[in-house]
Amino acid sequence: MLPSAAAAALVVTATGASVAESAPLTLDLTAAQAQTARDQAATEVADQADLSSRRQQVALQSAALQGRVTEQQRVARNNARVAAVAKAKAAAAAAAAAKAEREGKRWVMPIEGATFTSGYGMRWGRMHWGNDFGTSVGTPLRAMSKGTVTFVGYHGNMGKLVRIKYWDGTESYYAHMDSFSAQVGESVMPGDMVGRTGNTGRSTGPHLHLEIHPDGGGAVNPAPWLADKGLQ
């Protein structure tokens, strides 16, 4: 058994000589353990700092991802709203176009409140090519359906005249007018005002002389044509 460090005993050899035995190496376990503890603590702190840093990075990445998702959702909602508005506008435009098409193809009388005074046929030894409707000067005259104004001006015995060509090819003549409110090339719809009645040209009193020319050809009796359109 080794002698204790405190006794520092002499060891006797076989010759009787004595020598001092070297003192035993004493390990400072307390200091080593403390250093180990400090090293472990430092490692744990570093690990905790690294873990905290990684957590922060994950949180930032998660926030950035959430931000991108939120932005994508906002863009998607906005695109959906834009698409819905565009769809609604297209539907409204289609409905308006369909309504205009339906409204444009209806027929109305060119004048209201007038008195039928003369019909189509021979009169005073000559052909009378239309129907006359007696009324006071200045009574509004209106387009009978959807069409285009083809003539506005003075035309011999007819006096001031407006001609309108409609969507089905029929052309109407309004003669002996007092004034115009339309011009050549203007598009009109049923009921649009094109001028007022008068007593111009060869006329015996203020009235509308109405002629009907199907397909732009010769005049036909307006009465049956009007009846066929449901007009009186």
Side-chain angles (χ1 to χ4, degrees):
M1 183 176 181
L2 289 174
S4 67
L10 293 176
V11 178
V12 179
T13 66
T15 61
S18 62
V19 294
E21 186 181 7
S22 298
L25 179 61
T26 302
L27 297 177
D28 189 352
L29 296 179
T30 302
Q33 291 172 346
Q35 182 61 45
T36 299
R38 287 194 294 272
D39 291 344
Q40 290 176 345
T43 301
E44 291 177 357
V45 169
D47 290 344
Q48 289 293 332
D50 183 58
L51 179 60
S52 176
S53 175
R54 288 199 298 272
R55 285 176 176 171
Q56 289 179 350
Q57 290 178 354
V58 170
L60 290 174
Q61 291 172 351
S62 178
L65 177 61
Q66 184 60 44
R68 288 195 296 272
V69 170
T70 300
E71 177 62 15
Q72 289 173 351
Q73 291 174 340
R74 185 194 68 78
V75 171
R77 288 194 300 270
N78 184 64
N79 289 342
R81 285 194 296 269
V82 170
V85 170
K87 184 177 180 180
K89 287 183 177 179
K99 182 179 179 181
E101 183 69 12
R102 292 192 303 272
E103 289 292 311
K105 290 187 176 181
R106 67 186 180 92
W107 295 90
V108 301
M109 283 293 288
I111 192 171
E112 294 180 357
T115 302
F116 180 83
T117 56
S118 183
Y120 176 91
M122 294 300 297
R123 188 182 65 175
W124 305 331
R126 58 188 301 170
M127 186 64 184
H128 184 244
W129 297 103
N131 287 172
D132 288 349
F133 299 88
T135 185
S136 59
V137 173
T139 302
L141 293 174
R142 303 185 184 280
M144 301 177 71
S145 194
K146 179 181 179 181
T148 303
V149 178
T150 57
F151 180 88
V152 175
Y154 205 93
H155 193 274
N157 291 340
M158 287 187 170
K160 291 182 178 179
L161 174 70
V162 164
R163 298 201 319 243
I164 304 171
K165 188 169 187 177
Y166 299 106
W167 57 270
D168 69 343
T170 300
E171 194 169 22
S172 65
Y173 289 32
Y174 299 168
H176 309 302
M177 294 173 63
D178 180 71
S179 61
F180 309 121
S181 56
Q183 57 186 2
V184 174
E186 180 179 345
S187 295
V188 292
M189 293 290 285
D192 285 352
M193 185 172 169
V194 296
R196 296 182 181 276
T197 57
N199 192 31
T200 59
R202 184 176 181 181
S203 173
T204 58
H207 70 286
L208 165 66
H209 172 81
L210 171 66
E211 290 187 15
I212 297 297
H213 295 249
D215 298 321
V220 299
N221 187 349
W225 185 92
L226 292 171
D228 184 60
K229 298 292 186 290
L231 305 176
Q232 299 296 329

